Amino acid sequence: MAIIAPSLLAADFGRLREEVACVEAAGAKWLHVDIMDGHFVPNLTFGPGVVSALRPYTNMTFDIHLMVERPENFIKEFAEAGAEWISVHIEACPHLHKVIHQIREAGCRPAVALNPATSLRGVEWILDEVDMILIMTVNPGFGGQRFIPAMLKKIEELAKLIKDQGKEVLIEVDGGISQDNAAAVCRAGAQVLVAGSAIFGQQDRAAAFKALHRAASQAG
Ligand code: DX5
Ligand code: ZN
């Protein structure tokens, strides 16, 4: 059964604590938190202070998506703020192997994110080291964008690569995930589905979370 991770980016920032409580009560086990620096992506969001402020109010697993340059400079702060998972972008990490180890040493589970145009080639040699690969299904930076259909094949190819190497690495997808494509991404091999506007963009967050969960389970 797929994990649905609501993305805080689409939440009402004036009511973060209530928004988090609402999706948790609906059954969410993970919360996806997008960290943007205005350089790696043309937008700004939260810092570790927001993560640590929310930590006492929820038991959800914090899935921190670092869309920042020099992510190695922020790993310790986010680990201390209460992150369980930390994703870094391959495009921002010339020393990826080292950064992955840094995440594990900080006590978190490492994931590597790939922009839509980035080849799977770069993760071939690090599948031994990571616990999850995040396939961006839109260009990172903003919520509410359209899912890029070509990413279905990329997910399938990654699933095959992981299987051929006999590894236990999760596949997460992020961007434009909705009830319309949830089953298709699961069928392609995704196990963690990030959803911003499809949940926090809806009037009834709990109903939207449940509907997405049901749609994902149609994958069979
Ligand atoms: C985009 C972020 C996503 C974003 C997804 O750069 O990484 O996590 O919140 O939003 P939706 O689900 O609205 O595409
Ligand atoms: Zn994200």
Side-chain angles (χ1 to χ4, degrees), residues 121-145:
R121 268 285 175 84
V123 296
E124 226 171 309
W125 296 99
I126 47 109
L127 285 183
D128 263 339
E129 319 288 338
V130 284
D131 292 339
M132 185 163 74
I133 303 288
L134 166 50
I135 298 287
M136 288 306 302
T137 42
V138 299
N139 287 292
F142 300 93
Q145 303 180 75

Side-chain angles (χ1 to χ4, degrees), residues 48-120:
V50 171
V51 175
S52 61
L54 289 172
R55 187 66 284 181
Y57 299 108
T58 171
N59 291 316
M60 279 191 287
T61 294
F62 280 180
D63 173 30
I64 307 295
H65 179 190
L66 294 181
M67 282 162 277
V68 303
E69 284 179 3
R70 302 191 180 279
E72 62 276 13
N73 294 348
F74 302 100
I75 288 162
K76 193 165 169 280
E77 279 86 343
F78 282 102
E80 286 170 2
E84 269 94 8
W85 288 83
I86 297 182
S87 306
V88 292
H89 268 264
I90 192 167
E91 302 85 3
C93 293
H95 306 291
L96 185 61
H97 188 276
K98 196 168 153 188
V99 179
I100 291 168
H101 280 264
Q102 212 183 319
I103 296 172
R104 228 184 261 290
E105 277 156 24
C108 297
R109 299 191 66 181
V112 172
L114 275 67
N115 282 339
T118 302
S119 158
L120 292 174

